[in-house]
Structure formats: C-alpha cells, structure tokens
Amino acid sequence: MLEIRNFSKSYTGNKKAVDGLNLTVPDGQITGFIGHNGAGKTTTLRCVAGILDFREGSILIDGKDIHKEPVEAKRITAFLPDNPELYDFMTGIKYLKFVADLYRLPADVRTERIGRYADAFEMTGVLGSQLSGYSHGMKQKLALISALIRAPKLLVLDEPFVGLDPQAAFVMKQFLKEICSNGGSVLFSTHVLEVAEKLCDRIAIIRGGKLVEEGPTEQIVGKESLEAVFMELAQEGKEDA
C-alpha cells in the first residue's frame, strides 16, 4: 500500500531530518512508526500525506507517486496530525459535511457513515455545537470521524492516542483493524509502546532520521518487550554518537 524509497528530507542548514529511509507498509496491515522526539517520524508522515515537499527519493501510495500523481495519491489517503487544526467557526456536522463534499461522497453514503462513526465515538449529541467549544479530545474524535468517513485505503496517524479517553482509544483500534480487514493499511506514530506492541502487525523504529529496525512485531520484540528493544536501541545510539 505504501512504499517509501530512498527518502530524505532536509531543513534549513541542510541537516537531514530523514536520511535514506526505505519503508514498506503492506496491504491489510497496521505498522507502528516509533522513535524519540525529533527522530523524523512527523516529517516522514507529513511527506507521505503530501503536506511537506521533498526532493530526494520517492513515495508511492497504492502504486501512485505522490509527486507525479498527487491528487490520485491523496484521494485514497487520510492523514490525522497530532494536533488537528479544525475550523472553529463551523459546527461539527458542518465540518463533516465539508469534508464529505471535498471527497464527493454521495448523500446516502455520508449520512450512513457519519451516523455510524459519530455514534461509536459518542459524538452524535455535540455535532450541532461549534468547534470553538470542543475540548482537545472532542476535536481529536471529530478529526478521526472525518478521516474514517472517506474509507481511505491508507490511513496515516501521528500520535493518534494523545487526548483520547480509554473508550475512544478502544473504538479507534477496532476501526483500524476494520480498515485492514477490508484490504487497506494503517501507518501510525506513537510513544505508547505497549499499544504498538499489541496492535501492530509490523514495527518500524527510526533514530536520528534513519531506520534502525523494521519487521513483523513478533520478530522485533522477540522475547523482550517493545519498550526494552526501544531502550536498547536508544542506548546504542548514544554510544555511537
């Protein structure tokens, strides 16, 4: 579903935030993207979503190059940032209808999907309220709903569990699994290593802009916890510096 090939991204001063990254997210699987703050996770995810431009390497989504076929690639991808910036002057339902209009969802489809996901996240009762009065958690759930109603082939999430209560986090996990059972894929970054270990089919660990470990979760973890593996790699990075 997602192929990142020889991808690098530099900012001011030519310091590489991501350096020669190669990563594949298979169809029907959830991949956890793990690394310390500043490791290059968010930069990578934003380039996959087409929000940041890059000059080195390529990113293909279901075979569509994000540079050569940006509209086609974005049409089948949904991205949820760690701090969604929504339109505070809108109500929840107007925002969801706005997203549905952008992606040309038929009226019957949008109605069914909005109802389903709003009920699941216990948001139906507040969709008529302005977003300016929403808490961070409510905005997070609304942003999730706006992504899910599009039925994306690739769902990309940056720290999706931040601000979610346990019930909402549980519901989200079920929907992520549902996307994969329908042939789609999920790539998400997280600091919650226990969640990644239990939820993900594959794990990719990035350090200093470079991929240091990647593979099936059971292979990465082995007989240790993911936290132990992550801390060992972090210590190796300090010794190499």
Side-chain angles (χ1 to χ4, degrees), residues 105-115:
L105 294 182
D108 57 336
V109 173
R110 73 175 65 184
T111 299
E112 186 276 327
R113 291 179 183 173
I114 289 173

Side-chain angles (χ1 to χ4, degrees), residues 1-237:
M1 186 58 66
L2 171 65
E3 291 183 68
I4 302 174
R5 301 172 180 168
N6 302 313
F7 164 67
S8 296
K9 172 66 178 176
S10 300
Y11 290 108
T12 304
N14 293 323
K15 175 175 171 45
K16 288 190 174 181
V18 184
D19 187 3
L21 179 67
N22 287 282
L23 178 64
T24 298
V25 176
D27 295 357
Q29 294 195 5
I30 300 175
T31 298
F33 198 34
I34 297 171
H36 288 296
N37 289 337
K41 304 188 304 298
T42 295
T43 294
T44 300
L45 298 185
R46 286 181 176 271
C47 287
V48 169
I51 295 172
L52 287 179
D53 194 16
F54 61 94
R55 302 191 178 197
E56 297 181 57
S58 61
I59 294 175
L60 287 82
I61 300 171
D62 198 26
K64 297 170 177 60
D65 191 301
I66 193 69
H67 274 153
K68 298 176 182 177
E69 302 173 272
V71 174
E72 290 78 4
K74 292 176 183 179
R75 184 176 288 125
I76 58 176
T77 305
F79 173 61
L80 184 68
D82 57 346
N83 188 25
E85 294 183 5
L86 309 180
Y87 298 114
D88 281 352
F89 63 89
M90 287 185 173
T91 62
I93 190 64
K94 282 187 177 179
Y95 179 76
L96 293 177
K97 288 181 177 179
F98 168 68
V99 173
D101 285 341
L102 284 177
Y103 289 90
R104 300 177 182 175
L105 294 182
D108 57 336
V109 173
R110 73 175 65 184
T111 299
E112 186 276 327
R113 291 179 183 173
I114 289 173
R116 180 190 181 206
Y117 294 122
D119 284 347
F121 285 106
E122 300 181 339
M123 288 288 288
T124 303
V126 297
L127 289 184
S129 302
Q130 271 197 313
L131 301 187
S132 57
Y134 278 27
S135 67
H136 175 75
M138 292 165 68
K139 288 183 177 180
Q140 189 82 353
K141 287 191 278 188
L142 189 74
L144 266 169
I145 294 168
S146 73
L148 292 169
I149 63 172
R150 294 168 43 199
K153 285 189 175 183
L154 175 66
L155 181 58
V156 180
L157 309 139
D158 194 0
E159 296 289 349
F161 296 99
V162 175
L164 289 184
D165 57 74
Q167 173 65 20
F170 175 80
V171 170
M172 183 178 71
K173 292 173 193 175
Q174 304 315 304
F175 285 133
L176 298 188
K177 293 176 182 177
E178 182 179 283
I179 286 173
C180 292
S181 68
N182 291 329
S185 302
V186 176
L187 173 65
F188 75 94
S189 70
T190 183
H191 284 103
V192 187
L193 301 181
E194 184 179 359
V195 169
E197 186 172 347
K198 292 180 179 178
L199 181 62
C200 296
D201 301 294
R202 301 180 69 83
I203 295 290
I205 301 177
I206 188 172
R207 183 181 69 218
K210 294 186 177 183
L211 194 68
V212 292
E213 287 286 346
E214 191 272 332
T217 302
E218 63 272 17
Q219 177 182 311
I220 297 295
V221 175
K223 296 181 180 180
E224 301 179 274
S225 68
L226 183 56
E227 183 179 25
V229 173
F230 185 67
M231 294 309 295
E232 285 178 13
L233 289 169
Q235 185 59 40
E236 289 176 11

